[in-house]
Amino acid sequence: MSDKTDEIIEEFKRKLTGVKTGEDVENLRVEFLGRKGKISELMSGLKNVPKENKKSFGQRVNSIKNDMEESIRTAKEKMAAEAVEAEIKASEDYDVTMPKSIETGSYHPITLVQRELEDIFSSMGFTIEDYKEVVDDYECFESLNIPKYHPARDMQDTYYLDNGQLLKTQTSAAQNAIMKKYGPPLRAIFPGRCFRNEATDASHENTFFQMEGLMIDKDISISNLIYFMKTMLSEVFGQEVTVRLRPGFFPFTEPGFELDIKCLICGGKGCPSCKNSGWLELCPCGMVHPNVLKEGGIDPEEYTGFAFGLGLTRLAMMKYGVKDIRTFNSGKLQALCQFNDR
Ligand code: DAH
């Protein structure tokens, strides 16, 4: 028996090294492992094996069969990967050298606004941070002075994963990690995609972008906050803007504000754009709450800071006159391609 099995194994190995295509591999499989293949032929010899050797014979043939199956599987995977590779190569050869007849692409309007803000803030010494979209309860709420069952959570219902993680509702979710990463003093902005459980309409989306800013140092005051916001917004809108602060409540600020700018369309007289109030609500902000600093490992007796959560999506709507927020996620290229050269 040993001669015969060794022969079959050798033959299998020899043929396996010669296969070139997926079809070759399949033929090899049928030849050896098929219903009438060499292994099954070998197995049929079992009846002639003396009783005391039957068990070991069966085990040996089975183990050869398993090895062959494994080799066939590996060879098939290799062939499939090579086929994909070849296809990519062929299409690359074709595409890259061909002149394109369609127009070249453009940046999404939110990307444009984001990049502009990143330029402005990095020129003022802020680092730009990237952060996760899936966060945990601590990052999004607890570390921001929003304990479980706090009513502020109602406005920020979101999508939860089975493991308790959630899609972040606000870029503020990165504040704690950034404080721990850099320690004071620090200046950082962190743009990001946020999610909330919202019924969508022209001004509500379940997926939108914010840009958070955080500055922590000794003696930071509300005047610093106003200065940075005014500089940044004047730059974005390409003209001097007038800002005002109104009280606002956010558990992670003390005090907290809503920052408005004087309406750029009517200059403050009142028009449909500003709902006749002369002002546009633009950016919630505030002085970082001492509990939030403490949680981030920063001593609130020694350091203070401000933070803001600019609605990038909203800013893009204002800057480009986009009336329906749903346009941004619509994938409608006719609308989304228009802003690159402005
Ligand atoms: N995270 C808040 C929101 O999405 C906005 C916000 C308010 C951010 C005040 C801040 C802040 O950093 O200081 O509603």
Side-chain angles (χ1 to χ4, degrees), residues 121-183:
F121 275 100
S122 38
S123 77
M124 297 194 284
F126 283 69
T127 60
I128 302 159
E129 300 290 324
D130 201 13
Y131 205 66
K132 302 171 283 186
E133 288 176 356
V134 177
V135 297
D136 58 30
D137 190 87
Y138 176 79
E139 295 168 286
C140 205
F141 301 119
E142 296 272 344
S143 69
L144 290 166
N145 206 28
I146 312 175
K148 294 216 164 43
Y149 311 114
H150 190 289
R153 289 196 182 207
D154 281 359
M155 286 177 294
Q156 302 207 5
D157 186 21
T158 182
Y159 304 90
Y160 285 81
L161 278 64
D162 286 344
N163 65 6
Q165 286 186 305
L166 50 114
L167 298 188
K168 79 173 170 216
T169 58
Q170 47 182 351
T171 42
S172 312
Q175 281 198 14
N176 185 266
I178 286 170
M179 286 182 202
K180 286 175 179 159
K181 180 172 172 191
Y182 291 111

Side-chain angles (χ1 to χ4, degrees), residues 67-270:
D67 288 350
M68 285 184 179
E69 279 171 352
E70 181 61 36
S71 305
I72 293 280
R73 200 175 311 122
T74 313
K76 278 193 174 165
E77 280 168 11
K78 195 167 152 246
M79 295 289 163
E82 282 172 3
V84 171
E85 196 97 339
E87 206 169 296
I88 292 172
K89 214 157 186 261
S91 65
E92 261 175 8
D93 287 343
Y94 176 72
D95 252 345
V96 169
T97 54
M98 286 287 275
K100 277 199 207 163
S101 59
I102 51 164
E103 278 180 59
T104 46
S106 64
Y107 287 115
H108 192 281
I110 292 179
T111 307
L112 292 173
V113 176
Q114 179 181 327
R115 295 215 171 150
E116 195 175 343
L117 289 172
E118 287 175 356
D119 282 348
I120 298 168
F121 275 100
S122 38
S123 77
M124 297 194 284
F126 283 69
T127 60
I128 302 159
E129 300 290 324
D130 201 13
Y131 205 66
K132 302 171 283 186
E133 288 176 356
V134 177
V135 297
D136 58 30
D137 190 87
Y138 176 79
E139 295 168 286
C140 205
F141 301 119
E142 296 272 344
S143 69
L144 290 166
N145 206 28
I146 312 175
K148 294 216 164 43
Y149 311 114
H150 190 289
R153 289 196 182 207
D154 281 359
M155 286 177 294
Q156 302 207 5
D157 186 21
T158 182
Y159 304 90
Y160 285 81
L161 278 64
D162 286 344
N163 65 6
Q165 286 186 305
L166 50 114
L167 298 188
K168 79 173 170 216
T169 58
Q170 47 182 351
T171 42
S172 312
Q175 281 198 14
N176 185 266
I178 286 170
M179 286 182 202
K180 286 175 179 159
K181 180 172 172 191
Y182 291 111
L186 71 88
R187 292 177 187 202
I189 51 166
F190 24 113
R193 199 195 313 256
C194 301
F195 307 85
R196 290 190 198 176
N197 180 11
E198 292 274 3
T200 52
D201 61 27
S203 49
H204 294 89
E205 249 293 10
N206 51 32
T207 306
F208 54 95
F209 286 79
Q210 291 186 337
M211 179 179 283
E212 190 90 357
L214 186 61
M215 177 169 181
I216 296 170
D217 207 334
K218 291 185 172 154
D219 303 322
I220 295 289
S221 70
I222 297 169
S223 325
N224 298 104
L225 168 66
I226 296 173
Y227 168 80
F228 276 99
M229 299 312 288
K230 199 172 147 67
T231 309
M232 181 268 290
L233 293 169
S234 301
E235 199 72 39
V236 171
F237 289 104
Q239 56 182 289
E240 184 82 0
V241 298
T242 310
V243 300
R244 75 172 184 191
L245 293 180
R246 284 178 294 120
F249 174 72
F250 309 98
F252 38 95
T253 57
E254 180 55 44
F257 307 105
E258 291 288 353
L259 183 139
D260 300 336
I261 61 170
K262 196 173 260 186
C263 180
L264 298 170
I265 293 169
C266 63
K269 290 194 195 71

Side-chain angles (χ1 to χ4, degrees), residues 38-47 57-59 61-62:
K38 299 209 158 135
I39 290 294
S40 119
E41 210 177 286
L42 201 59
M43 210 44 154
S44 65
L46 183 68
K47 53 184 181 297
F57 177 88
Q59 280 172 343
V61 177
N62 259 332

